[in-house]
Amino acid sequence: MDDYRVIADELAAEIAAGRLRPGDRLPPLRRFARDRRIAGSTAARVYRELGRRGLTVGEVGRGTFVRTATPSAEPALAEPGDARIDLELNFPVLPEHPALLGRSLEHLLRPDALADALRPVGAAGTPAARQAAAAHLARAGWAPDPRRLLFAGNGRQALAAAIASLVPAGERLGVESLTYPVVKGIAARLGVTLVPLAMDEHGLTAEALRTAAPLRAVYLQPALHNPLGITMPERRREELAAVLGELGIHAVEDAIYGFLREDLPPLAALAPERTVVVDSLSKRLAPGLSLGFLTVPAALTQDVATALRSGTWTASGFALDAATRWMADGTATAIEEDKRRDAAARQRIVAERLAGFRLRADPHAYHCWWELPEPWRADTFVAAAARRGIAVTPSGAFAVGAGHTPNAVRLALASPPLDALAEALGVLGELAHGSPEDAGPE
């Protein structure tokens, strides 16, 4: 065995035993070589070997660190098993982003800065946070008023606060007939009745909103709809804005994926006094970064702030401070630009690997909707995919009410590496070309 592998084994044993702990920094290469009395080239091979095994991570300009977690085994595609390719949940985190985010947090290591970040903050956050968020959330000529920005612990809490402030218990909230599943759970906890509204190829129709009255509010996703992946054209947004004014109701606009379409303004640009815009950092930056944003009409600011406080849904000072730095110094913008390129690349893989099937997706989205061919049914296909180590979501998870559930699945594209995504989609394509009988027993 080469000498460098022997040394790498020794360090791996120290990591396994806990003598080298997650986050510990290894010595600079020259010092490591001097201490071990080995050549610099051998020391470099040791560090590369540790990185290859997934035990360390190198950060340009900072050094080499023990990883904070042991990476999971590669998921199997051909056979059933616990390991899997996750096309069920969207976790868009590119490999280079943790180091980029980490560099912006170095200021929080100072005791004085950390002390400030650990103090509680209110629903309105801080003036610096409001200014940074207003500039960062702006797109396509629309920009929120910093005075109308509120902050929640995460996007789900922001949605809950918006719905709680607009729809009393026992009242009706209109939603698209296929909707974000979390909204169903929020409505159940708040005692709100969901009313499914008809959609067409462009999304929610104005006539469906008009005929469903009386409603206290409507929840919708104009951009990169989850699960359908479609984006409303401008004309449809104009129609919906007019109906909101006609009915005198408010919309809760879910803009979580809106950053992937910087060329389109939100519905709030057309109906600013009728729309609460909800956004978050989870898709923009990383799922472990918890901060929600609400852009609120002036007449609703106090009600939404009260809902945030009473629900204990306000943001933490640490998250707010970190997010303010990421938005102000360009880190968040750089990461979002990377993700727009990444999402487009993943959609190209879908188009190639699933050519010939009936797919719906905005070419900028991190997910797509697949209308399955006969004789497949959604639940049967999900089970067959799972036996091949691939997790996908059936249409029933998104359906509201007891009406017909489409024979379709949603594919979340963000989590696996590109090569694993391409392989998984190839397996799913072969599966769909066959029949449930060919796929084996459930």
Side-chain angles (χ1 to χ4, degrees):
M1 181 180 290
D2 293 341
D3 288 344
Y4 80 91
R5 290 180 180 167
V6 172
I7 298 171
D9 288 341
E10 293 173 358
L11 290 174
E14 291 188 35
I15 292 171
R19 290 188 291 273
L20 281 174
R21 295 174 296 177
D24 282 354
R25 180 178 176 177
L26 299 186
L29 274 176
R30 288 184 181 178
R31 196 175 90 200
F32 182 79
R34 185 176 65 249
D35 292 346
R36 293 274 178 164
R37 297 183 180 180
I38 58 177
S41 59
T42 302
R45 296 181 76 182
V46 170
Y47 279 30
R48 283 198 298 271
E49 177 66 13
L50 291 172
R52 187 190 69 79
R53 297 184 192 183
L55 298 174
T56 61
V57 58
E59 298 183 14
V60 177
R62 297 192 64 212
T64 300
F65 298 82
V66 178
R67 287 185 67 102
T68 57
T70 302
S72 59
E74 287 296 319
L77 290 172
E79 299 295 334
D82 293 333
R84 66 180 189 171
I85 292 287
D86 187 358
L87 302 185
E88 186 174 24
L89 301 174
N90 263 333
F91 295 138
V93 180
L94 303 184
E96 64 273 19
H97 289 168
L100 187 61
L101 290 165
R103 284 197 290 273
S104 285
L105 292 182
E106 290 179 354
H107 76 290
L108 283 176
L109 299 179
R110 300 196 320 268
D112 59 331
L114 185 58
D116 285 340
L118 295 179
R119 294 192 179 102
V121 294
T126 65
R130 291 194 298 275
Q131 290 293 337
H136 190 73
L137 299 177
R139 54 185 163 102
W142 172 82
D145 184 339
R147 297 171 298 175
R148 306 293 172 238
L149 271 168
L150 300 174
F151 300 90
N154 55 46
R156 296 181 180 194
Q157 292 175 346
L159 281 175
I163 293 171
S165 64
L166 290 171
V167 188
E171 296 288 346
R172 292 156 44 97
L173 172 69
V175 295
E176 293 141 323
S177 56
L178 294 168
T179 194
Y180 178 38
V182 167
V183 171
K184 296 194 285 184
I186 291 172
R189 288 192 294 275
L190 295 175
V192 169
T193 300
L194 294 184
V195 179
L197 305 176
M199 306 175 70
D200 62 16
E201 70 274 16
H202 298 307
L204 175 65
T205 68
E207 187 58 26
L209 181 56
R210 184 180 288 110
T211 57
L215 300 171
R216 292 301 294 262
V218 59
Y219 163 82
L220 73 166
Q221 305 169 75
L224 293 90
H225 180 276
N226 179 18
L228 296 178
I230 58 178
T231 295
M232 286 183 183
E234 184 177 1
R235 178 61 181 162
R236 176 62 54 83
R237 295 167 188 241
E238 292 172 348
E239 292 170 355
L240 289 173
V243 175
L244 291 176
E246 173 189 321
L247 298 178
I249 64 174
H250 289 90
V252 178
E253 178 176 7
D254 188 335
I256 301 299
Y257 284 109
F259 75 96
L260 294 170
R261 287 294 306 265
E262 285 287 281
D263 59 317
L264 292 175
L267 177 65
L270 298 170
E273 297 307 317
R274 289 285 168 194
T275 309
V276 177
V277 181
V278 173
D279 208 327
S280 86
L281 286 185
S282 61
K283 304 302 182 190
R284 287 175 173 268
L285 300 186
L289 302 176
S290 182
L291 185 69
F293 307 94
L294 297 107
T295 302
V296 184
L300 297 177
T301 303
Q302 190 57 51
D303 289 344
V304 177
T306 298
L308 286 166
R309 289 192 294 270
S310 62
T312 64
W313 296 324
T314 54
S316 73
F318 188 90
L320 194 67
D321 192 298
T324 300
R325 178 61 63 99
W326 287 323
M327 291 185 290
D329 70 6
T331 298
T333 297
I335 288 175
E336 290 165 18
E337 289 173 352
D338 286 345
K339 290 188 175 184
R340 284 191 280 274
R341 289 189 290 268
D342 182 59
R346 291 169 187 270
Q347 287 290 347
R348 289 193 292 271
I349 293 173
V350 172
E352 175 187 343
R353 293 302 178 108
L354 298 181
F357 292 107
R358 297 183 64 183
L359 300 168
R360 286 197 206 180
D362 186 298
H364 304 84
Y366 261 129
H367 54 273
C368 69
W369 187 250
W370 186 3
E371 297 179 8
L372 296 170
E374 294 290 343
W376 285 102
R377 293 294 176 266
D379 290 344
T380 306
F381 189 81
V382 169
R387 290 196 296 274
R388 286 154 179 79
I390 308 170
V392 301
T393 308
S395 57
F398 307 96
V400 180
H404 172 68
T405 301
N407 185 35
V409 295
R410 187 200 68 171
L411 304 180
L413 309 175
S415 298
L418 292 177
D419 55 349
L421 173 64
E423 187 176 356
L425 293 175
V427 171
L428 293 178
E430 291 177 7
L431 183 64
H433 278 301
S435 70
E437 290 75 19
D438 298 333
E442 294 188 20

